Amino acid sequence: MGKPSKAVMEFMAKYSVDSDEIWEVHGSTWVVKHKALERVAAEVGIVWERPELKVCDMAAGLVAVLISGRLGERVEYSFGEASPKNNKNAYPIAMAEKRAKDRVILKLLAAHGDLYSEEEADDFKRQNPHVTRATDILPAADYDQHGEVIDNIPHAEPARKLRVADQRPLFAAIQKEAHAFADSKKFLAWMADEKTIARVADFKPDWQDMFRGVCKEHLAELRKQEAGDDMRMAG
């Protein structure tokens, strides 16, 4: 499995899309769950217009639905289509609506083209029954010979068992806080702080893996930027 683009990673971080809600198909196309898109649409407050059924031939299995949505001042629309050529579902109207809605969501979030809904095509459905691991899409943390995470990237024994719904806002908050650092030394100090590690202990091991990957990637970006600044100063 390849690594998603920066745009996909930023989408996951911004909207708290979990690593098991996204996967890769055809070697370069990244697909997100319909359920995840519905959740994000509700969280950001997308407002839907009444669907318009443009084509409906149930005998032939041909359906086209026009869906319009609004987010703030921005309005987007899309046609969802279902036919025997692109749909094996027994409910073509529902499938057409899902496809149109998911495209509108991705358009409103400026992610269409970087991400596609699992409902776009039958072969976008996840074939592998195993969920995507955090380390499949994020860099794994490096450990030294003593089993300690290099660079003090936070890790801890899980302190309590939280539901995914409870973990999501906590994860989003600490991830946002991590990305706000623009200085690698301050970032390293924050990661090694006992309060940060205690917060990480609220997450399940796979969520901790994902957070360590986020930290490692952000730290690498900060060091790259600082190295460039040093070169410009020297020049």
Side-chain angles (χ1 to χ4, degrees), residues 5 20 44 77-78 98 108 139 143 178 187 198 200:
S5 66
D20 64 347
V44 300
Y77 69 89
S78 184
K98 282 183 179 180
L108 288 171
Y143 294 82
F187 185 47
V200 171

mmCIF file of all heavy atoms in Angstrom, residues 5 20 44 77-78 98 108 139 143 178 187 198 200:
data_model
loop_
_atom_site.group_PDB
_atom_site.id
_atom_site.type_symbol
_atom_site.label_atom_id
_atom_site.label_comp_id
_atom_site.label_asym_id
_atom_site.label_seq_id
_atom_site.Cartn_x
_atom_site.Cartn_y
_atom_site.Cartn_z
ATOM 1 N N SER A 5 -1.530 11.209 -0.384
ATOM 2 C CA SER A 5 -0.961 12.523 -0.632
ATOM 3 C C SER A 5 -1.124 13.417 0.591
ATOM 4 O O SER A 5 -1.885 13.106 1.521
ATOM 5 C CB SER A 5 -1.668 13.175 -1.826
ATOM 6 O OG SER A 5 -3.034 13.446 -1.500
ATOM 7 N N ASP A 20 -9.021 3.311 9.521
ATOM 8 C CA ASP A 20 -9.807 2.196 9.003
ATOM 9 C C ASP A 20 -10.991 2.673 8.166
ATOM 10 O O ASP A 20 -11.843 1.876 7.775
ATOM 11 C CB ASP A 20 -10.294 1.289 10.140
ATOM 12 C CG ASP A 20 -11.249 1.980 11.088
ATOM 13 O OD1 ASP A 20 -11.351 3.227 11.029
ATOM 14 O OD2 ASP A 20 -11.894 1.287 11.886
ATOM 15 N N VAL A 44 -19.832 19.362 9.957
ATOM 16 C CA VAL A 44 -19.502 20.693 9.437
ATOM 17 C C VAL A 44 -20.751 21.497 9.106
ATOM 18 O O VAL A 44 -20.662 22.697 8.863
ATOM 19 C CB VAL A 44 -18.592 20.609 8.188
ATOM 20 C CG1 VAL A 44 -17.291 19.894 8.533
ATOM 21 C CG2 VAL A 44 -19.293 19.926 7.025
ATOM 22 N N TYR A 77 -23.252 20.983 -6.606
ATOM 23 C CA TYR A 77 -24.250 19.983 -6.982
ATOM 24 C C TYR A 77 -23.574 18.859 -7.750
ATOM 25 O O TYR A 77 -22.453 18.994 -8.258
ATOM 26 C CB TYR A 77 -25.356 20.609 -7.840
ATOM 27 C CG TYR A 77 -24.922 21.025 -9.224
ATOM 28 C CD1 TYR A 77 -24.997 20.131 -10.298
ATOM 29 C CD2 TYR A 77 -24.433 22.312 -9.461
ATOM 30 C CE1 TYR A 77 -24.587 20.510 -11.569
ATOM 31 C CE2 TYR A 77 -24.018 22.692 -10.731
ATOM 32 C CZ TYR A 77 -24.097 21.793 -11.774
ATOM 33 O OH TYR A 77 -23.695 22.157 -13.032
ATOM 34 N N SER A 78 -24.261 17.739 -7.836
ATOM 35 C CA SER A 78 -23.737 16.609 -8.591
ATOM 36 C C SER A 78 -24.879 15.675 -8.950
ATOM 37 O O SER A 78 -25.884 15.596 -8.240
ATOM 38 C CB SER A 78 -22.694 15.841 -7.780
ATOM 39 O OG SER A 78 -22.134 14.794 -8.554
ATOM 40 N N LYS A 98 -26.683 8.233 -2.870
ATOM 41 C CA LYS A 98 -25.436 8.149 -2.116
ATOM 42 C C LYS A 98 -24.262 8.703 -2.932
ATOM 43 O O LYS A 98 -23.439 9.468 -2.418
ATOM 44 C CB LYS A 98 -25.134 6.695 -1.738
ATOM 45 C CG LYS A 98 -25.911 6.148 -0.565
ATOM 46 C CD LYS A 98 -25.440 4.736 -0.269
ATOM 47 C CE LYS A 98 -26.152 4.139 0.910
ATOM 48 N NZ LYS A 98 -25.681 2.755 1.190
ATOM 49 N N LEU A 108 -17.586 20.213 -1.613
ATOM 50 C CA LEU A 108 -17.707 21.298 -0.636
ATOM 51 C C LEU A 108 -16.501 21.358 0.294
ATOM 52 O O LEU A 108 -16.145 22.435 0.784
ATOM 53 C CB LEU A 108 -18.989 21.137 0.182
ATOM 54 C CG LEU A 108 -20.299 21.430 -0.558
ATOM 55 C CD1 LEU A 108 -21.501 21.010 0.288
ATOM 56 C CD2 LEU A 108 -20.400 22.920 -0.908
ATOM 57 N N PRO A 139 3.820 7.205 8.876
ATOM 58 C CA PRO A 139 5.129 6.644 9.206
ATOM 59 C C PRO A 139 5.135 6.058 10.607
ATOM 60 O O PRO A 139 4.616 6.654 11.546
ATOM 61 C CB PRO A 139 6.067 7.861 9.113
ATOM 62 C CG PRO A 139 5.183 9.044 9.322
ATOM 63 C CD PRO A 139 3.856 8.666 8.713
ATOM 64 N N TYR A 143 12.042 3.011 17.264
ATOM 65 C CA TYR A 143 12.398 2.681 18.636
ATOM 66 C C TYR A 143 13.897 2.429 18.741
ATOM 67 O O TYR A 143 14.524 1.911 17.805
ATOM 68 C CB TYR A 143 11.644 1.431 19.100
ATOM 69 C CG TYR A 143 10.141 1.623 19.211
ATOM 70 C CD1 TYR A 143 9.332 1.529 18.091
ATOM 71 C CD2 TYR A 143 9.555 1.910 20.435
ATOM 72 C CE1 TYR A 143 7.957 1.712 18.184
ATOM 73 C CE2 TYR A 143 8.185 2.089 20.541
ATOM 74 C CZ TYR A 143 7.394 1.980 19.418
ATOM 75 O OH TYR A 143 6.045 2.166 19.509
ATOM 76 N N ALA A 178 -0.731 19.650 18.113
ATOM 77 C CA ALA A 178 0.588 19.249 17.611
ATOM 78 C C ALA A 178 0.948 20.018 16.353
ATOM 79 O O ALA A 178 2.073 20.508 16.200
ATOM 80 C CB ALA A 178 0.601 17.746 17.343
ATOM 81 N N PHE A 187 8.292 21.712 20.113
ATOM 82 C CA PHE A 187 7.459 20.561 19.795
ATOM 83 C C PHE A 187 7.963 19.318 20.523
ATOM 84 O O PHE A 187 7.184 18.550 21.103
ATOM 85 C CB PHE A 187 7.452 20.338 18.282
ATOM 86 C CG PHE A 187 6.525 19.247 17.823
ATOM 87 C CD1 PHE A 187 5.220 19.169 18.288
ATOM 88 C CD2 PHE A 187 6.958 18.305 16.909
ATOM 89 C CE1 PHE A 187 4.360 18.161 17.861
ATOM 90 C CE2 PHE A 187 6.110 17.297 16.463
ATOM 91 C CZ PHE A 187 4.812 17.232 16.949
ATOM 92 N N ALA A 198 0.057 11.644 29.183
ATOM 93 C CA ALA A 198 -1.167 11.227 29.878
ATOM 94 C C ALA A 198 -2.376 11.317 28.953
ATOM 95 O O ALA A 198 -3.280 10.472 29.006
ATOM 96 C CB ALA A 198 -1.377 12.085 31.111
ATOM 97 N N VAL A 200 -2.244 11.000 25.681
ATOM 98 C CA VAL A 200 -2.084 9.921 24.704
ATOM 99 C C VAL A 200 -2.558 8.591 25.293
ATOM 100 O O VAL A 200 -3.077 7.731 24.576
ATOM 101 C CB VAL A 200 -0.614 9.823 24.245
ATOM 102 C CG1 VAL A 200 -0.382 8.579 23.391
ATOM 103 C CG2 VAL A 200 -0.232 11.070 23.460
#
